[in-house]
Amino acid sequence: MDISELQEIAEKERSHQKPIRVHCCTSTGCRAANSLSVKKNLEGAVKDVGLSDRVQVVGVGCMGFCGNGPLVEIDPQEKLYERVTPNDAASIIEAINGGIATAPEGDLKHPFFARQMRIVRENSGKIDPESIDEYIAVGGYQPLYKVIHDMTPAEVVDEITRSGLRGRGGAGYPTGLKWATVAKMPPGQKYIVCNGDEGDPGAFMDRSVLESDPHKVLEGMAIAGYAVGASEGYIYVRAEYPLAIERLETAIKQAKKLGILGSQIFYSAFDFKINIRIGAGAFVCGEETALISSIEGGRGNPRPRPPYPAQEGLWGCPTLINNVETFANIAAIVREGGDWYASIGTEKSKGTKVFALTGKIRNNGLIEVPMGITLREIVEEMGGGIPDGEVKAVQTGGPSGGCIPASLLHTPVDYESLSNLGSMMGSGGMVVMDKETSMVEVARFYMEFCRGETCGKCIPCRAGTVQMYHTLTKILKGEANQTDLERLQALCDMVKHTSLCGLGQSAPNPVISTLRYFPEEYTTLIKPDTLNGKVAVSH
């Protein structure tokens, strides 16, 4: 396939699209609320009123406003309907010609939508994720063609480096630097790995991208393969994401059929194939060395570094590992240029970030915002604040993150600012808590999670998380004394600084942050006759 054939597919698809498109969300969340029946009834209503020549019903991916799903959007009328039931379908189609829909109408000008800047999710909720033609019609795979025919691998790496993109999996390592390291390895077998093992409680960003726009991830991986000299890639997805896996499989088959994946892509010497590996749901497999072990067929245990995967990874070969969201940025960076991407965000945190906004919040769902936006803007303006009450804390970064008090909601959302508060960006989970929330209970919840997910390979994590959990339970029961608090802090320090991998090293963060910002919630649970002074808080 050459560029003219790619453009021909795009033009043909656009010519077949009807003037009015009814987008019905078919993501996992909306399916649970019966969106497939909504879509079926919408299709039936179009036929019943004789609008088949003008109106096209399209099953699309996540539109973002998950708490109000199923969602239906009328394009180009810019009408959004929320909490749609199958019985609402006929009235929605009638409303296209001036009728009145029975489903509640949403406000696309609400800050939840208006404050977003969509790069990763630019196609989500707009195209059929099971149609490669629709992806090509919005410019898909042209960036891949561009790098293969108009750029050297070194120029691609330089473009990604200039963009300032940092890994969206949690640690924020510079993407361009990682790509350059793999590219500099001696010629030979190299691998690209997409980490889709999203295991944080309350996080569903990667699942949404894979379900809504799988070709965007495949294209990012292929561009990375060309840039670093890899001919094979793996997407590691947890088994709990069956729809994401199904749509990835469909997308790979479609791309192979058109010659966009496989041998001699776009009539070039570049070969690249992508395989899917399904994980069993172990949180530790989000750590790159454990993920590699799992892909190889072993138990998902981490190993000491160095050597780093970029030097010696999958089957001992240089391996580039990025997460789903990182790869989903690549095509846009190639298309618009690294300088364009670098102009978004802050000095050290470029671009946008996708967050799953959940918890005690009025508007919950997926948002994509430029780096540097404040927590207050996200929680109070976009999220609508607490339905009945006030914000107490926001937990970012999942089990590896920390709890940030309401007094610090002015904090900009970037890697360094969140780290300075004892939290982290993580993969993008953001849980809002109200005044009724016990922060000690929150700390114990995350410690229970980490205790259950430790691989057990190193003693600090294996035993330390268990002891921290028991100590937190003792405090909540009112059976602890000052010595127990001091022991809890000592355990946090030990596990943080002596564990083998990132799971153990970050596991104490929710405990440390709640001790730091909410010490009174611990001291009030201590036996009065044994309390001697205030908690010695670790900063």
Side-chain angles (χ1 to χ4, degrees):
M1 174 178 291
D2 59 24
I3 191 65
S4 62
E5 292 174 287
L6 199 65
Q7 292 171 342
E8 183 180 343
I9 291 173
E11 291 169 6
K12 184 177 180 180
E13 173 59 33
R14 286 192 287 265
S15 68
H16 286 170
Q17 292 180 1
K18 295 171 184 176
I20 298 174
R21 284 166 62 92
V22 179
H23 296 149
C24 179
C25 177
T26 59
S27 66
T28 294
C30 284
R31 284 188 175 201
N34 208 18
S35 68
L36 291 182
S37 293
V38 171
K39 179 175 178 288
K40 180 179 179 181
N41 285 9
L42 287 168
E43 292 169 336
V46 168
K47 293 180 181 178
D48 291 343
V49 298
L51 290 177
S52 298
D53 59 332
R54 293 180 52 226
V55 178
Q56 178 181 8
V57 177
V58 184
V60 297
C62 180
M63 297 181 188
F65 209 7
C66 306
N68 285 18
L71 301 173
V72 172
E73 183 181 16
I74 312 300
D75 182 35
Q77 295 183 357
E78 294 189 343
K79 291 282 187 179
L80 177 70
Y81 298 99
E82 305 172 352
R83 300 188 184 92
V84 180
T85 69
N87 293 334
D88 294 320
S91 68
I92 288 175
I93 299 303
E94 290 170 2
I96 292 174
N97 282 336
I100 298 175
T102 56
E105 189 170 338
D107 180 11
L108 289 170
K109 295 182 180 179
H110 186 280
F112 183 90
F113 297 105
R115 295 298 303 273
Q116 294 197 43
M117 182 176 186
R118 291 165 47 126
I119 297 175
V120 170
R121 303 191 69 250
E122 62 183 347
N123 301 324
S124 297
K126 301 293 184 183
I127 66 172
D128 180 355
E130 298 183 12
S131 169
I132 191 172
D133 290 354
E134 288 213 5
Y135 180 70
I136 292 173
V138 294
Y141 289 116
Q142 290 196 28
L144 176 59
Y145 186 94
K146 175 182 177 180
V147 301
I148 292 174
H149 287 282
D150 300 334
M151 301 174 73
T152 66
E155 287 174 336
V156 179
V157 173
D158 180 65
E159 200 74 56
I160 301 304
T161 301
R162 286 193 296 110
S163 75
L165 175 66
R166 295 169 65 173
R168 297 299 192 243
Y173 191 81
T175 304
L177 181 57
K178 184 181 282 191
W179 285 31
T181 303
V182 179
K184 290 175 183 175
M185 292 295 107
Q189 183 65 57
K190 298 178 183 178
Y191 294 101
I192 304 295
V193 172
C194 177
N195 184 350
D197 189 61
E198 182 177 57
D200 293 7
F204 50 98
M205 302 77 59
D206 290 352
R207 186 193 76 192
S208 171
V209 173
L210 293 175
E211 290 180 356
S212 305
D213 201 4
H215 287 284
K216 199 171 185 35
V217 179
L218 300 185
E219 184 171 16
M221 292 178 68
I223 291 171
Y226 174 79
V228 306
S231 60
E232 189 169 359
Y234 287 85
I235 302 180
Y236 188 88
V237 188
R238 53 181 43 222
E240 291 95 325
Y241 288 178
L243 182 59
I245 294 168
E246 177 185 325
R247 287 181 171 170
L248 276 172
E249 290 173 338
T250 299
I252 291 171
K253 288 178 183 177
Q254 292 173 339
K256 284 181 177 178
K257 186 176 181 180
L258 290 181
I260 294 173
L261 288 179
S263 301
Q264 299 179 330
I265 297 173
F266 290 128
Y267 300 130
S268 72
F270 175 53
D271 302 338
F272 192 73
K273 67 177 182 178
I274 295 178
N275 310 282
I276 299 174
R277 287 293 180 269
I278 300 174
F283 181 69
V284 73
C285 285
E287 195 277 336
E288 56 185 17
T289 62
L291 182 151
I292 287 172
S293 178
S294 182
I295 292 178
E296 292 175 340
R299 180 173 176 173
N301 281 348
R303 62 164 173 77
R305 296 173 298 177
Y308 293 93
Q311 303 161 312
E312 188 177 317
L314 196 59
W315 289 296
C317 301
T319 302
L320 172 66
I321 303 179
N322 286 132
N323 85 322
V324 169
E325 187 178 340
T326 308
F327 281 122
N329 274 291
I330 301 303
I333 292 173
V334 171
R335 184 183 70 227
E336 304 293 341
D339 292 335
W340 163 80
Y341 194 84
S343 70
I344 303 164
T346 68
E347 182 181 355
K348 294 183 178 180
S349 298
K350 307 295 187 182
T352 62
K353 181 72 187 76
V354 180
F355 290 99
L357 189 59
T358 61
K360 300 292 183 67
I361 190 80
R362 183 173 276 107
N363 305 320
N364 65 73
L366 285 176
I367 59 172
E368 184 175 358
V369 292
M371 293 281 200
I373 190 172
T374 65
L375 284 168
R376 188 178 308 281
E377 290 173 287
I378 291 176
V379 173
E380 295 184 353
E381 293 183 25
M382 301 179 72
I386 302 290
D388 299 302
E390 299 177 13
V391 176
K392 181 176 185 177
V394 178
Q395 202 271 350
T396 68
S400 303
C403 299
I404 301 169
S407 61
L408 295 175
L409 288 182
H410 61 275
T411 302
V413 176
D414 60 59
Y415 290 100
E416 283 70 32
S417 296
L418 294 180
S419 178
N420 290 339
L421 296 183
S423 189
M424 66 185 300
M425 185 82 68
S427 58
M430 190 174 287
V431 183
V432 181
M433 304 168 193
D434 64 9
K435 294 290 184 181
E436 303 301 315
T437 305
S438 164
M439 304 312 295
V440 184
E441 284 274 15
V442 169
R444 186 177 69 162
F445 166 79
Y446 283 108
M447 193 49 57
E448 181 179 19
F449 178 86
C450 291
R451 178 194 67 166
E453 293 293 339
T454 178
C455 73
K457 185 172 182 177
C458 73
I459 292 176
C461 182
R462 182 179 72 229
T465 54
V466 172
Q467 292 305 313
M468 282 194 285
Y469 172 78
H470 288 323
T471 303
L472 288 164
T473 300
K474 190 176 180 181
I475 292 171
L476 285 165
K477 288 182 177 180
E479 299 173 354
N481 56 32
Q482 180 69 19
T483 302
D484 291 308
L485 272 178
E486 293 170 356
R487 182 180 297 113
L488 179 62
Q489 291 176 323
L491 283 166
C492 286
D493 185 72
M494 181 273 295
V495 174
K496 185 180 182 70
H497 292 102
T498 62
S499 291
L500 172 62
C501 79
L503 187 155
Q505 293 164 10
S506 60
N509 284 349
V511 182
I512 295 171
S513 63
T514 51
L515 281 167
R516 177 181 180 179
Y517 297 116
F518 305 94
E520 70 284 352
E521 296 204 21
Y522 286 86
T523 56
T524 55
L525 292 169
I526 297 299
K527 293 178 182 179
D529 59 331
T530 60
L531 181 60
N532 297 311
K534 295 182 178 180
V535 180
V537 178
S538 298
H539 290 275

